[in-house]
């Protein structure tokens, strides 16, 4: 009889979530990139995300905030959202990553989350607009960050003390509550500043 250790269960839920959120974020970034290119080709082009004066992506794409590295932020999104898709697929295939890999991935997620928070601030308080495709990318990035923060510690992929692991297991069980609170805070700030609810209910 074999005495080889029994492999731990694959994190199917986390993997599928990573893939789905990565696809959503990638698609939103791709749509923005496509509209940005069309605008460059034809300045008279009206992007498909220009719904109203408040809900529009034109000012965002044309602002310096939309190209903080000297090129369109959409290129960052199209490139970066591939990572959670690839990691999710690898996990479903049975891949196991070392602690240093998860820390590197978390660093990337943190960078994406900070960028999204900064763009939210710029959209609401500086540009005064809500870009539909940007908001879709935000919806993908926020749960990617919170789930990616807790999962490696909760599962032991990044070693911790017993007390630390228990804390992250508890945190992991509350992830969707944290995500919903994060969404609510963003929506509430946008409502107080821009009164977006009146825009959507105006008939």
């Amino acid at each position: 009889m074999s005495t080889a250790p029994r492999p731990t269960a694959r994190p199917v839920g986390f993997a599928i979530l990573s893939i789905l959120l990565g696809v959503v974020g990638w698609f939103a970034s791709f749509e923005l990139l496509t509209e940005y290119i069309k605008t460059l080709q034809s300045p008279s082009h009206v992007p498909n995300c220009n719904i109203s004066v408040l809900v529009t992506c034109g000012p965002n794409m044309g602002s310096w905030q939309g190209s903080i590295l000297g090129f369109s932020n959409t290129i960052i999104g199209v490139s970066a959202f591939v990572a959670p898709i690839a990691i999710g697929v690898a996990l479903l295939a049975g891949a196991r990553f070392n602690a240093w890999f998860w820390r590197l991935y978390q660093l990337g997620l943190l960078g994406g989350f900070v960028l999204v928070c900064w763009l939210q601030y710029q959209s609401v308080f500086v540009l005064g607009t809500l870009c539909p495709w940007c908001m879709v990318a935000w919806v993908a990035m926020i749960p990617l960050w919170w789930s990616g923060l807790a999962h490696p510690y909760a599962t032991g992929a990044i070693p911790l003390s017993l007390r630390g692991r228990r804390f992250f297991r508890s945190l992991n069980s509350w992830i969707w509550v944290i995500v919903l609170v994060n969404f609510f805070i963003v929506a509430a700030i946008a409502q107080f500043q821009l009164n977006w609810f009146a825009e959507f209910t105006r008939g």
Side-chain angles (χ1 to χ4, degrees):
M1 180 178 297
S2 173
T3 58
R6 185 178 181 180
T8 57
R10 288 177 296 173
V12 175
F14 176 79
I16 293 176
L17 178 66
S18 297
I19 294 171
L20 291 178
L21 293 175
V23 168
V24 170
W26 185 90
F27 180 76
S29 300
F30 179 77
E31 281 293 316
L32 272 174
L33 178 59
T34 301
E35 292 303 311
Y36 179 70
I37 293 174
K38 290 179 179 179
T39 302
L40 292 179
Q41 293 174 335
S42 175
S44 61
H45 173 72
V46 179
N48 61 13
C49 44
N50 282 12
I51 299 174
S52 67
V53 175
L54 174 61
V55 184
T56 178
C57 59
N60 300 60
M61 289 193 297
S63 67
W64 69 265
Q65 291 94 331
S67 304
I68 59 173
L69 296 180
F71 53 84
S72 175
N73 294 344
T74 59
I75 298 176
I76 301 176
V78 169
S79 303
F81 278 115
V82 172
I85 298 173
I87 290 174
V89 171
L91 290 173
L92 286 179
R96 295 290 183 269
F97 299 114
N98 291 329
W100 66 265
F101 180 89
W102 284 113
R103 291 191 180 101
L104 188 62
Y105 180 55
Q106 287 179 327
L107 185 61
L109 290 177
L110 177 60
F113 182 71
V114 170
L115 176 60
V116 159
C117 290
W118 183 80
L119 290 173
Q120 290 167 353
Y121 175 86
Q122 295 296 320
S123 291
V124 173
F125 291 99
V126 179
L127 298 174
T129 60
L130 294 173
C131 168
W133 289 121
C134 295
M135 289 189 288
V136 173
W138 300 349
V139 167
M141 188 66 243
I142 290 172
L144 272 174
W145 157 245
W146 288 113
S147 61
L149 171 65
H151 174 80
Y153 296 110
T155 59
I158 298 179
L160 281 178
S161 65
L162 182 59
R163 179 178 296 181
R165 189 170 177 181
R166 284 176 178 171
F167 169 80
F168 277 99
R169 280 181 176 175
S170 177
L171 180 67
N172 199 40
S173 67
W174 287 89
I175 283 299
W176 282 111
V177 175
I178 297 172
V179 169
L180 290 175
V181 169
N182 198 154
F183 286 160
F184 176 79
I185 291 172
V186 174
I189 292 174
Q191 172 62 22
F192 289 136
Q193 182 68 18
L194 301 175
N195 195 20
W196 60 267
F197 186 74
E199 179 75 15
F200 282 103
T201 57
R202 186 180 301 159

